[in-house]
Amino acid sequence: MKATELFSVRDLSVVVTGGANGLGSAFARAMADNGAQVTLFDLDGEAAAAKANELGRNGGATDWLQLDLTNKAALAAAFATVMKRRGKLDVLFANAGIVAGPGFLNGDWQRAPAGAIENIPLDLWRQVQNVNLKATFSAIQASVPYMKQNGGGRIIVTSSTASLRVSPAVGVAYGVTKAGLNQLVRQLAVELASLNIRVNAILPGPFQTRITTPEMQAAFNRASPVGRAAELHEIEGLALLLASNASNFMTGGLYPIDGGLLLGKVD
Ligand SMILES: NC(=O)c1ccc[n+]([C@@H]2O[C@H](COP(=O)([O-])OP(=O)(O)OC[C@H]3O[C@@H](n4cnc5c(N)ncnc54)[C@H](O)[C@@H]3O)[C@@H](O)[C@H]2O)c1
Protein backbone atom coordinates (compact mmCIF):
# COMPACT_ATOMS: atom_id res chain seq x y z
CA MET A 1 0.00 0.00 0.00
CA LYS A 2 1.22 3.50 -0.72
CA ALA A 3 2.30 5.54 2.33
CA THR A 4 -0.13 8.31 1.39
CA GLU A 5 -3.01 5.82 1.68
CA LEU A 6 -1.71 3.95 4.72
CA PHE A 7 -1.16 7.11 6.76
CA SER A 8 -4.19 8.98 5.38
CA VAL A 9 -6.22 11.17 7.75
CA ARG A 10 -8.18 12.80 4.93
CA ASP A 11 -11.72 13.84 5.92
CA LEU A 12 -11.36 12.53 9.46
CA SER A 13 -13.04 14.71 12.09
CA VAL A 14 -10.35 15.42 14.66
CA VAL A 15 -10.54 17.26 18.00
CA VAL A 16 -7.32 18.53 19.58
CA THR A 17 -7.53 19.76 23.17
CA GLY A 18 -5.00 22.49 23.92
CA GLY A 19 -4.62 22.85 20.17
CA ALA A 20 -3.87 26.57 20.14
CA ASN A 21 -0.26 26.25 21.25
CA GLY A 22 2.71 23.94 21.49
CA LEU A 23 2.35 20.22 20.87
CA GLY A 24 -1.41 20.47 20.33
CA SER A 25 -0.84 22.90 17.49
CA ALA A 26 1.67 20.45 15.96
CA PHE A 27 -0.89 17.62 16.14
CA ALA A 28 -3.45 19.93 14.57
CA ARG A 29 -1.02 20.91 11.81
CA ALA A 30 -0.18 17.27 11.02
CA MET A 31 -3.90 16.59 10.63
CA ALA A 32 -4.98 19.76 8.83
CA ASP A 33 -2.10 19.67 6.34
CA ASN A 34 -3.22 16.17 5.38
CA GLY A 35 -6.88 16.89 4.76
CA ALA A 36 -8.49 16.24 8.16
CA GLN A 37 -11.25 18.45 9.56
CA VAL A 38 -9.76 19.73 12.78
CA THR A 39 -11.42 21.41 15.75
CA LEU A 40 -9.22 23.04 18.38
CA PHE A 41 -10.54 23.12 21.96
CA ASP A 42 -8.66 25.70 24.01
CA LEU A 43 -8.97 28.08 26.95
CA ASP A 44 -7.20 30.75 24.94
CA GLY A 45 -9.77 31.70 22.29
CA GLU A 46 -7.58 34.34 20.70
CA ALA A 47 -4.65 31.97 20.17
CA ALA A 48 -7.02 29.23 18.97
CA ALA A 49 -8.59 31.56 16.40
CA ALA A 50 -5.16 32.65 15.18
CA LYS A 51 -3.94 29.02 14.93
CA ALA A 52 -7.09 27.91 13.09
CA ASN A 53 -6.62 30.77 10.68
CA GLU A 54 -2.97 29.89 10.11
CA LEU A 55 -3.73 26.19 9.53
CA GLY A 56 -6.59 27.13 7.23
CA ARG A 57 -4.22 29.07 4.98
CA ASN A 58 -2.58 25.74 4.03
CA GLY A 59 -5.98 24.40 3.00
CA GLY A 60 -6.85 22.55 6.24
CA ALA A 61 -10.46 22.96 7.38
CA THR A 62 -9.79 24.07 10.95
CA ASP A 63 -12.33 25.25 13.48
CA TRP A 64 -11.94 26.27 17.11
CA LEU A 65 -13.97 26.45 20.31
CA GLN A 66 -13.04 28.41 23.41
CA LEU A 67 -13.63 26.45 26.62
CA ASP A 68 -12.18 25.45 29.94
CA LEU A 69 -11.70 21.70 29.77
CA THR A 70 -12.19 21.37 33.52
CA ASN A 71 -15.83 22.41 32.99
CA LYS A 72 -17.71 19.20 32.20
CA ALA A 73 -20.80 20.94 30.84
CA ALA A 74 -18.69 23.10 28.53
CA LEU A 75 -16.93 19.96 27.26
CA ALA A 76 -20.23 18.21 26.52
CA ALA A 77 -21.46 21.29 24.65
CA ALA A 78 -18.22 21.52 22.66
CA PHE A 79 -18.41 17.89 21.46
CA ALA A 80 -22.09 18.42 20.58
CA THR A 81 -21.03 21.44 18.47
CA VAL A 82 -18.39 19.36 16.67
CA MET A 83 -21.05 16.76 15.87
CA LYS A 84 -23.35 19.47 14.55
CA ARG A 85 -20.62 21.01 12.38
CA ARG A 86 -18.75 17.88 11.23
CA GLY A 87 -21.37 15.15 11.63
CA LYS A 88 -18.92 12.70 13.23
CA LEU A 89 -15.91 12.31 15.49
CA ASP A 90 -13.02 10.06 14.44
CA VAL A 91 -10.01 11.14 16.49
CA LEU A 92 -9.42 12.83 19.84
CA PHE A 93 -6.01 14.19 20.76
CA ALA A 94 -6.48 14.58 24.54
CA ASN A 95 -3.45 16.78 24.78
CA ALA A 96 -3.98 19.81 27.02
CA GLY A 97 -1.91 19.87 30.17
CA ILE A 98 -0.18 22.24 32.54
CA VAL A 99 3.08 22.16 34.46
CA ALA A 100 3.30 21.92 38.22
CA GLY A 101 5.79 24.57 39.28
CA PRO A 102 9.46 23.94 39.99
CA GLY A 103 10.92 20.53 40.67
CA PHE A 104 12.87 19.51 43.75
CA LEU A 105 16.25 20.35 42.19
CA ASN A 106 17.26 23.69 40.68
CA GLY A 107 19.54 24.36 37.70
CA ASP A 108 22.66 23.81 39.84
CA TRP A 109 21.28 20.46 41.01
CA GLN A 110 20.71 21.79 44.54
CA ARG A 111 17.45 21.13 46.44
CA ALA A 112 14.97 23.87 45.45
CA PRO A 113 12.73 24.98 48.35
CA ALA A 114 9.79 25.87 46.09
CA GLY A 115 9.63 22.36 44.64
CA ALA A 116 10.35 20.50 47.87
CA ILE A 117 7.56 18.16 48.98
CA GLU A 118 7.03 19.95 52.30
CA ASN A 119 6.34 23.27 50.54
CA ILE A 120 4.04 22.35 47.65
CA PRO A 121 0.65 24.05 48.05
CA LEU A 122 -2.30 21.66 47.96
CA ASP A 123 -4.06 24.08 45.59
CA LEU A 124 -1.30 23.60 43.02
CA TRP A 125 -1.60 19.81 43.41
CA ARG A 126 -5.39 20.05 42.89
CA GLN A 127 -5.13 22.36 39.88
CA VAL A 128 -2.67 20.04 38.10
CA GLN A 129 -4.85 17.01 38.86
CA ASN A 130 -7.88 18.91 37.57
CA VAL A 131 -6.41 19.82 34.20
CA ASN A 132 -4.04 16.95 33.45
CA LEU A 133 -6.03 14.05 34.82
CA LYS A 134 -9.67 14.97 35.42
CA ALA A 135 -10.19 17.10 32.31
CA THR A 136 -8.47 14.49 30.13
CA PHE A 137 -10.71 11.82 31.62
CA SER A 138 -13.79 14.01 31.03
CA ALA A 139 -12.82 14.75 27.42
CA ILE A 140 -12.41 11.04 26.71
CA GLN A 141 -15.66 10.25 28.50
CA ALA A 142 -17.53 12.84 26.41
CA SER A 143 -16.01 11.61 23.14
CA VAL A 144 -16.64 7.86 23.48
CA PRO A 145 -20.41 7.85 22.75
CA TYR A 146 -19.79 9.68 19.46
CA MET A 147 -16.99 7.33 18.44
CA LYS A 148 -19.18 4.37 19.35
CA GLN A 149 -21.94 5.79 17.18
CA ASN A 150 -19.38 6.14 14.37
CA GLY A 151 -18.27 2.49 14.56
CA GLY A 152 -14.92 3.30 16.18
CA GLY A 153 -12.28 5.93 16.67
CA ARG A 154 -8.87 6.80 18.02
CA ILE A 155 -7.91 8.45 21.28
CA ILE A 156 -4.38 9.75 21.59
CA VAL A 157 -3.38 11.03 25.01
CA THR A 158 -0.38 13.29 25.57
CA SER A 159 1.47 11.85 28.54
CA SER A 160 5.17 12.55 29.16
CA THR A 161 8.48 10.82 29.75
CA ALA A 162 8.04 12.28 33.27
CA SER A 163 5.44 9.51 33.78
CA LEU A 164 8.15 6.85 33.67
CA ARG A 165 11.27 8.66 34.84
CA VAL A 166 11.82 11.00 37.77
CA SER A 167 12.24 14.51 36.37
CA PRO A 168 13.82 16.53 39.20
CA ALA A 169 13.30 19.83 37.34
CA VAL A 170 9.53 19.33 37.08
CA GLY A 171 7.03 19.69 39.95
CA VAL A 172 6.05 16.31 41.47
CA ALA A 173 2.32 16.65 40.67
CA TYR A 174 3.12 16.69 36.96
CA GLY A 175 4.73 13.24 36.77
CA VAL A 176 2.07 11.78 39.05
CA THR A 177 -0.75 12.94 36.77
CA LYS A 178 1.06 11.69 33.67
CA ALA A 179 1.62 8.27 35.28
CA GLY A 180 -2.13 8.23 36.01
CA LEU A 181 -2.84 8.95 32.35
CA ASN A 182 -0.70 5.98 31.29
CA GLN A 183 -2.85 3.64 33.35
CA LEU A 184 -6.03 5.29 32.06
CA VAL A 185 -4.83 4.64 28.49
CA ARG A 186 -4.02 0.99 29.18
CA GLN A 187 -7.29 0.38 30.99
CA LEU A 188 -9.43 2.09 28.32
CA ALA A 189 -7.58 0.32 25.51
CA VAL A 190 -8.83 -2.98 26.92
CA GLU A 191 -12.33 -1.72 27.70
CA LEU A 192 -12.87 -0.06 24.31
CA ALA A 193 -11.12 -2.59 22.04
CA SER A 194 -14.36 -4.37 21.15
CA LEU A 195 -15.87 -1.01 20.12
CA ASN A 196 -13.01 -0.51 17.63
CA ILE A 197 -11.75 2.46 19.63
CA ARG A 198 -7.96 2.46 19.85
CA VAL A 199 -6.37 4.26 22.79
CA ASN A 200 -2.68 5.14 22.87
CA ALA A 201 -0.38 7.58 24.62
CA ILE A 202 2.43 9.70 23.28
CA LEU A 203 5.21 10.32 25.81
CA PRO A 204 7.09 13.40 24.63
CA GLY A 205 10.48 14.16 26.01
CA PRO A 206 11.63 17.77 25.85
CA PHE A 207 9.95 19.81 23.12
CA GLN A 208 10.45 23.52 22.74
CA THR A 209 7.18 25.10 23.85
CA ARG A 210 6.21 27.89 26.21
CA ILE A 211 6.03 25.47 29.18
CA THR A 212 9.72 24.57 28.82
CA THR A 213 11.52 26.80 31.34
CA PRO A 214 15.27 27.49 30.96
CA GLU A 215 15.87 25.25 34.04
CA MET A 216 13.94 22.40 32.42
CA GLN A 217 15.73 22.98 29.13
CA ALA A 218 19.16 22.84 30.82
CA ALA A 219 18.22 19.67 32.74
CA PHE A 220 16.89 18.01 29.57
CA ASN A 221 19.95 18.90 27.53
CA ARG A 222 22.14 17.47 30.27
CA ALA A 223 20.20 14.19 30.48
CA SER A 224 19.45 13.63 26.79
CA PRO A 225 21.59 11.38 24.57
CA VAL A 226 20.87 13.65 21.59
CA GLY A 227 21.65 16.73 23.72
CA ARG A 228 18.80 18.93 22.60
CA ALA A 229 15.07 19.54 22.84
CA ALA A 230 12.90 18.59 19.87
CA GLU A 231 11.24 21.02 17.51
CA LEU A 232 7.46 20.87 17.34
CA HIS A 233 7.26 19.47 13.82
CA GLU A 234 9.24 16.41 14.97
CA ILE A 235 6.08 14.98 16.59
CA GLU A 236 4.01 15.05 13.41
CA GLY A 237 5.02 11.59 12.12
CA LEU A 238 3.93 9.83 15.31
CA ALA A 239 0.66 11.79 15.28
CA LEU A 240 -0.08 10.64 11.72
CA LEU A 241 0.79 7.04 12.59
CA LEU A 242 -1.54 6.93 15.61
CA ALA A 243 -4.42 8.80 13.95
CA SER A 244 -4.42 6.76 10.72
CA ASN A 245 -5.10 3.16 9.71
CA ALA A 246 -1.35 2.53 9.82
CA SER A 247 -1.81 1.88 13.57
CA ASN A 248 -4.92 -0.33 13.31
CA PHE A 249 -3.43 -3.07 15.48
CA MET A 250 -1.87 -0.72 18.03
CA THR A 251 -3.74 -0.03 21.25
CA GLY A 252 -2.77 0.52 24.87
CA GLY A 253 0.71 1.58 23.80
CA LEU A 254 2.87 4.18 25.54
CA TYR A 255 5.11 5.66 22.84
CA PRO A 256 8.08 7.78 23.91
CA ILE A 257 9.39 10.37 21.48
CA ASP A 258 12.31 11.66 23.46
CA GLY A 259 15.67 11.53 21.69
CA GLY A 260 16.62 8.60 23.94
CA LEU A 261 15.97 10.49 27.22
CA LEU A 262 14.36 7.46 28.88
CA LEU A 263 17.42 5.35 28.15
CA GLY A 264 19.80 7.88 29.65
CA LYS A 265 23.18 9.07 28.52
CA VAL A 266 26.45 7.17 28.65
CA ASP A 267 28.65 8.97 31.21
N1 LIG B 1 6.63 20.77 26.02
C1 LIG B 1 7.16 19.64 26.41
O1 LIG B 1 8.37 19.46 26.38
C2 LIG B 1 6.26 18.51 26.86
C3 LIG B 1 6.88 17.29 27.22
C4 LIG B 1 6.08 16.24 27.62
C5 LIG B 1 4.71 16.36 27.65
N2 LIG B 1 4.14 17.56 27.31
C6 LIG B 1 2.67 17.63 27.35
O2 LIG B 1 2.20 18.10 26.11
C7 LIG B 1 0.94 18.75 26.30
C8 LIG B 1 0.99 20.12 25.65
O3 LIG B 1 2.03 20.86 26.27
P1 LIG B 1 2.69 22.12 25.57
O4 LIG B 1 4.13 22.10 25.91
O5 LIG B 1 2.29 22.16 24.14
O6 LIG B 1 1.98 23.30 26.41
P2 LIG B 1 1.39 24.73 25.95
O7 LIG B 1 1.17 25.47 27.21
O8 LIG B 1 2.24 25.31 24.88
O9 LIG B 1 -0.02 24.34 25.31
C9 LIG B 1 -1.06 23.85 26.11
C10 LIG B 1 -2.39 24.37 25.59
O10 LIG B 1 -3.43 23.84 26.44
C11 LIG B 1 -4.35 24.88 26.74
N3 LIG B 1 -4.98 24.63 28.03
C12 LIG B 1 -4.37 24.51 29.24
N4 LIG B 1 -5.29 24.33 30.19
C13 LIG B 1 -6.51 24.32 29.59
C14 LIG B 1 -7.85 24.19 30.04
N5 LIG B 1 -8.14 24.05 31.34
N6 LIG B 1 -8.85 24.25 29.13
C15 LIG B 1 -8.57 24.42 27.81
N7 LIG B 1 -7.33 24.56 27.32
C16 LIG B 1 -6.31 24.51 28.21
C17 LIG B 1 -3.50 26.16 26.78
O11 LIG B 1 -4.30 27.32 26.58
C18 LIG B 1 -2.51 25.91 25.64
O12 LIG B 1 -2.98 26.39 24.40
C19 LIG B 1 0.72 18.80 27.81
O13 LIG B 1 -0.12 17.72 28.19
C20 LIG B 1 2.10 18.60 28.38
O14 LIG B 1 2.08 18.05 29.66
C21 LIG B 1 4.89 18.63 26.92
Side-chain angles (χ1 to χ4, degrees):
M1 194 185 279
K2 285 196 186 318
T4 44
E5 261 174 72
L6 187 61
F7 290 86
S8 175
V9 292
R10 181 157 295 284
D11 296 328
L12 296 183
S13 168
V14 180
V15 165
V16 184
T17 72
N21 289 291
L23 287 166
S25 70
F27 295 139
R29 183 182 302 282
M31 299 297 111
D33 283 358
N34 289 286
Q37 301 177 2
V38 181
T39 309
L40 313 176
F41 285 6
D42 208 287
L43 195 57
D44 185 344
E46 212 173 299
K51 187 56 66 183
N53 210 357
E54 181 193 323
L55 297 178
R57 279 201 293 276
N58 296 336
T62 309
D63 239 337
W64 59 277
L65 291 167
Q66 193 273 330
L67 71 146
D68 183 344
L69 295 157
T70 63
N71 178 337
K72 227 179 148 199
L75 253 178
F79 278 107
T81 303
V82 171
M83 290 302 290
K84 204 148 86 186
R85 291 182 184 169
R86 309 291 200 196
K88 60 172 186 162
L89 176 67
D90 298 294
V91 180
L92 168 67
F93 282 92
N95 162 77
I98 56 173
V99 284
F104 67 88
L105 294 183
N106 64 25
D108 301 326
W109 243 222
Q110 301 300 312
R111 195 144 190 259
I117 183 73
E118 60 271 34
N119 297 328
I120 294 169
L122 203 52
D123 276 352
L124 175 64
W125 174 268
R126 281 200 203 98
Q127 191 194 0
V128 178
Q129 298 281 337
N130 257 342
V131 178
N132 293 6
L133 207 44
K134 198 183 90 183
T136 304
F137 169 78
S138 300
I140 293 172
Q141 195 176 42
S143 72
V144 164
Y146 297 120
M147 291 187 180
K148 214 166 124 184
Q149 183 180 313
N150 197 28
R154 292 175 200 289
I155 296 167
I156 300 149
V157 172
T158 308
S159 177
S160 167
T161 49
S163 64
L164 297 182
R165 158 187 189 273
V166 172
S167 286
V170 176
V172 63
Y174 184 80
V176 172
T177 57
K178 296 298 186 178
L181 288 181
N182 291 356
Q183 188 57 15
L184 182 66
V185 161
R186 289 151 57 90
Q187 175 112 5
L188 293 181
V190 174
E191 180 183 341
L192 301 175
S194 63
L195 299 174
N196 195 28
I197 299 174
R198 307 281 179 253
V199 191
N200 289 292
I202 292 181
L203 277 56
F207 276 72
Q208 285 166 8
T209 71
R210 58 190 199 152
I211 70 169
T212 327
T213 62
E215 288 74 28
M216 283 158 69
Q217 181 86 45
F220 288 145
N221 292 352
R222 204 167 30 224
S224 163
V226 302
R228 68 170 177 89
E231 291 176 35
L232 283 180
H233 68 85
E234 292 179 292
I235 206 144
E236 291 188 24
L238 185 52
L240 282 169
L241 168 66
L242 293 178
S244 68
N245 285 337
S247 59
N248 264 352
F249 205 62
M250 295 163 70
T251 198
L254 311 176
Y255 299 105
I257 175 158
D258 68 346
L261 185 78
L262 283 175
L263 299 173
K265 202 150 108 174
V266 178
D267 289 329

